[in-house]
Amino acid sequence: MALKEFKNVSVGYIPDTEIELNKKKYKIHDVINGEDILVDTDKNYPTLSKVLKPSKDRIYDGCPYQAECGGCQFQHVSYEYEKKLKEKYLNDLFKPFDLPYIKLVSGDSPLHYRNKCQMTYKLSKTKKVVCGLYEEYSHKIVTISNCLLQANEANHVIEALNKVLTKNKIRPYDEKTREGNLRHVYIRYGFNSKEIMVVLVTNGEMFPGRNNVVTDLKKLNLGITTIVQNYNSRDTSIVLGDKEKVIYGPGYIYEFVGGYKFKISGTSFFQINTIGMEKLYNLALEKAEIKNTDFVIDAYCGVGTISIFASKYAKKVIGVELNKNAIQDAKINAKINNITNVDFIADDATNYMTHLAKDRVKCDVVLMDPPRDGSTKAFINAINYLGARKVVYVSCNAETLKRDLYLFSENDYVVKSITAVDMFPRTLHTECVAVLEKDSELESLEKLSKISKNGGNVLDELNKKNKNNSNKMRVIPKADIEMMREDQYERTGKISSKKYKKY
Ligand SMILES: C[S@@+](CC[C@H](N)C(=O)[O-])C[C@H]1O[C@@H](n2cnc3c(N)ncnc32)[C@H](O)[C@@H]1O
């Protein structure tokens, strides 16, 4: 083994360091700033062999799969150190906005917090059915029997299920040959309801041995309340296909959060950290300062969780979401919680907001929680026309949040604060709650000049624009509407011709 020593390595926000070997650069994972390390240079890709001088922040009781598994990035450091790194990253990233210090609020225990688990399958050398997560940047499956982030209940089901699958000679799906049956198993666990949903993702509808697997699983009394078969025969790395069959139980589970009951189907989005989720929503609503006369829009609403949390403060809440199944669940969720001031609409959020803006609808507060790739320019422009007093932007991707905050700043909105909630301990991710206010033009200009590289020029532009528009009720120019529609078309490939109610 050829070993090479690197002293006092330097690490940024992500716990890896860059080394140079034969004029090529390589990333070495799982190191801490200032450590001396020994690197094995024999392999195709050099790897960490030994830490010669460990940092005081290094821990040794983290996950045994950390070196190979791509699921976590911080299992080798103390949780305190991880939080410090994440907080520093966020404060540096959002520095141009000149905000109060961004605090990272802890979500929950850093271990066994995930209510959702998703495993991929293969045959072991001894022909047993085993499962695990992918290696970083690859589709090589690292066999895992007890993931430290997943709920213990889900780990128990996975362990028992693997034995049942082996006994019934189930063939795991092979990505290369596209043969075999079982692709993934996806589990949802209700920490509060104690209900468990098992989704067997198969390569198409045919699943020989399915009935025996289900019978054997039920006999084990693991607390499984429903089993669903999801068909996915596409050549894709997306886990779930779009067709499913309920094999046992109702096909969904319920979960209780913040005193509300939520119905969750296999394909609907639900926050993966149940305790963190309640903290996140309460923080977002505290920041939103909703009044009982307010019309609130909850965009990208999923199964309606934030809308339902907001309903007790607002006069009316509209939730909009692309996934039709999630909207069906959201409507049921409002009903089972006896909430009558919330409506849900299945549509692309940009499309919906653009139509509202076109119809000169006004709203008071916008709550938005888009997926990782963030929102759109047209969505943000539309909020300007809807005149929301406040926007609370919940984001699981700080980079796209930053991009979108710039777009808000080009409109009449000022970013007031960002608070982060550590919903995903031991991984690189965090959830941010950004608060924006429609503010006096003067303050917008001042902020914009601070954050823009060409502050002076933008100021002149805005001064001109504001002079023309001052004291006038805004009328959306036709060209702007076309621009919004085009932008929306780029993202979704379709424009709805639906007509919308006015509120
Ligand atoms: C991060 S999740 C938030 C869901 C919900 N707010 C929650 O906390 O459970 C983002 C949601 O946006 C939905 N979504 C994705 N693209 C969308 C679009 N273009 N328009 C509306 N909703 C969209 C997804 O289906 C998902 O439910």
Side-chain angles (χ1 to χ4, degrees):
M1 191 193 287
L3 296 171
K4 191 166 164 36
E5 190 177 333
F6 292 85
K7 281 188 176 287
N8 193 18
V9 294
S10 132
V11 169
Y13 308 113
I14 299 172
D16 58 27
T17 191
E18 199 171 68
I19 59 156
E20 199 172 314
L21 281 173
N22 307 325
K23 298 197 178 144
K24 270 193 177 167
K25 293 196 167 156
Y26 300 94
K27 291 250 186 256
I28 304 295
H29 295 307
D30 305 341
V31 289
I32 305 178
N33 208 25
E35 289 186 329
D36 295 347
I37 59 170
L38 211 51
V39 172
D40 178 355
T41 61
D42 262 357
K43 300 187 178 154
N44 280 349
Y45 198 98
T47 52
L48 179 67
S49 168
K50 195 173 178 190
V51 180
L52 297 171
K53 195 188 87 186
S55 153
K56 64 173 180 23
D57 296 301
R58 181 167 283 275
I59 59 161
Y60 295 93
D61 55 354
C63 177
Y65 310 107
Q66 157 89 2
E68 298 159 273
C69 176
C72 293
Q73 292 76 32
F74 287 105
Q75 290 283 4
H76 64 297
V77 304
S78 68
Y79 186 42
E80 287 313 307
Y81 181 74
E82 172 190 336
K83 284 193 286 183
K84 252 195 254 166
L85 271 191
K86 284 179 169 174
E87 221 172 63
K88 176 159 173 33
Y89 164 71
L90 292 171
N91 278 286
D92 289 352
L93 183 73
F94 291 104
K95 205 169 188 168
F97 290 89
D98 195 24
L99 299 171
Y101 187 78
I102 301 172
K103 268 184 70 173
L104 179 71
V105 180
S106 289
D108 181 22
S109 150
L111 298 177
H112 299 295
Y113 60 83
R114 283 186 69 99
N115 57 33
K116 170 181 153 185
C117 120
Q118 211 164 269
M119 293 303 218
T120 307
Y121 282 76
K122 67 174 183 184
L123 272 188
S124 72
K125 283 183 186 141
T126 56
K127 302 283 177 232
K128 285 189 175 150
V129 180
V130 291
C131 64
L133 300 173
Y134 291 129
E135 237 183 46
E136 203 163 27
Y137 307 123
S138 107
H139 271 204
K140 191 173 163 212
I141 300 167
V142 179
T143 308
I144 291 173
S145 60
N146 178 18
C147 170
L148 287 183
L149 298 198
Q150 286 165 191
N152 283 320
E153 290 74 3
N155 281 333
H156 292 154
V157 171
I158 289 291
E159 201 187 341
L161 176 63
N162 285 357
K163 288 183 187 145
V164 169
L165 295 169
T166 303
K167 180 188 154 214
N168 288 290
K169 298 193 168 42
I170 299 302
R171 286 175 67 206
Y173 173 75
D174 182 324
E175 258 186 1
K176 283 192 194 122
T177 61
R178 301 197 60 201
E179 285 175 357
N181 296 108
L182 186 67
R183 292 179 75 134
H184 309 279
V185 168
Y186 169 102
I187 294 180
R188 279 257 178 226
Y189 173 61
F191 275 91
N192 299 317
S193 68
K194 308 292 175 216
E195 293 183 19
I196 300 178
M197 169 164 52
V198 176
V199 182
L200 305 165
V201 185
T202 55
N203 179 24
E205 202 173 336
M206 291 289 288
F207 184 19
R210 184 190 74 189
N211 292 349
N212 292 341
V213 169
V214 172
T215 310
D216 286 352
L217 254 189
K218 285 198 298 196
K219 270 191 215 147
L220 292 171
N221 289 327
L222 298 162
I224 298 170
T225 49
T226 189
I227 303 176
V228 174
Q229 183 187 349
N230 178 284
Y231 313 143
N232 187 357
S233 52
R234 288 173 300 159
D235 187 11
T236 172
S237 49
I238 295 170
V239 173
L240 293 175
D242 40 22
K243 280 195 185 143
E244 61 179 34
K245 182 176 178 175
V246 178
I247 310 174
Y248 165 66
Y252 53 83
I253 59 163
Y254 287 113
E255 177 58 316
F256 301 96
V257 188
Y260 299 106
K261 184 175 178 179
F262 294 104
K263 177 187 171 210
I264 314 160
S265 309
T267 52
S268 298
F269 177 91
F270 198 75
Q271 298 285 350
I272 55 123
N273 184 332
T274 312
I275 295 180
M277 165 182 174
E278 192 172 341
K279 282 192 186 174
L280 179 76
Y281 292 170
N282 284 336
L283 175 75
L285 287 164
E286 181 196 313
K287 299 282 179 193
E289 295 179 309
I290 296 169
K291 298 183 197 145
N292 59 11
T293 49
D294 282 347
F295 165 39
V296 176
I297 295 173
D298 173 20
Y300 311 92
C301 69
V303 297
T305 41
I306 299 182
S307 308
I308 287 171
F309 268 67
S311 66
K312 74 170 168 194
Y313 306 104
K315 182 173 182 202
K316 176 93 196 166
V317 184
I318 301 291
V320 57
E321 156 72 44
L322 197 59
N323 178 337
K324 290 194 179 99
N325 291 340
I327 283 294
Q328 272 174 10
D329 285 354
K331 286 180 178 169
I332 292 168
N333 287 335
K335 211 169 175 183
I336 57 183
N337 288 292
N338 297 319
I339 289 165
T340 52
N341 62 339
V342 178
D343 277 341
F344 292 103
I345 288 169
D347 199 359
D348 169 68
T350 300
N351 201 32
Y352 180 68
M353 296 298 264
T354 310
H355 275 82
L356 288 190
K358 193 179 166 194
D359 289 348
R360 314 257 174 93
V361 174
K362 295 284 162 203
C363 85
D364 301 296
V365 175
V366 172
L367 308 168
M368 57 188 285
D369 183 7
R372 289 192 63 73
D373 52 357
S375 190
T376 64
K377 191 169 192 297
F379 178 99
I380 291 163
N381 288 350
I383 292 185
N384 216 44
Y385 292 115
L386 298 177
R389 170 181 87 239
K390 220 163 197 183
V391 178
V392 175
Y393 188 145
V394 179
S395 163
C396 57
N397 182 344
E399 308 264 338
T400 53
L401 172 65
K402 182 177 179 180
R403 179 203 67 204
D404 289 351
L405 292 184
Y406 276 119
L407 294 175
F408 270 108
S409 304
E410 281 169 12
N411 282 288
D412 297 344
Y413 287 86
V414 178
V415 189
K416 290 286 180 181
S417 70
I418 297 178
T419 311
V421 181
D422 197 18
M423 293 275 281
F424 318 102
R426 313 324 256 154
T427 79
L428 288 174
H429 308 288
T430 54
E431 199 81 27
C432 288
V433 177
V435 182
L436 294 118
E437 281 176 14
K438 196 167 176 74
D439 226 323
S440 72
E441 288 180 358
L442 194 65
E443 195 177 348
S444 277
L445 290 169
E446 202 184 295
K447 282 271 170 181
L448 195 63
S449 71
K450 270 187 194 164
I451 64 173
S452 167
K453 284 190 198 129
N454 314 312
N457 294 342
V458 176
L459 266 178
D460 291 344
E461 280 294 303
L462 268 170
N463 270 329
K464 255 190 264 161
K465 182 180 129 193
N466 286 336
K467 215 172 178 184
N468 295 338
N469 287 346
S470 62
N471 301 328
K472 276 191 215 156
M473 206 193 110
R474 273 181 192 277
V475 178
I476 311 172
K478 206 162 172 264
D480 270 19
I481 292 171
E482 284 315 310
M483 187 276 294
M484 289 178 192
R485 289 167 70 88
E486 270 167 34
D487 181 275
Q488 182 263 325
Y489 183 78
E490 263 171 41
R491 275 180 61 100
T492 65
K494 70 173 170 71
I495 293 176
S496 157
S497 56
K498 277 185 212 160
K499 291 266 172 280
Y500 290 99
K501 265 200 282 180
K502 288 184 186 179
Y503 297 95

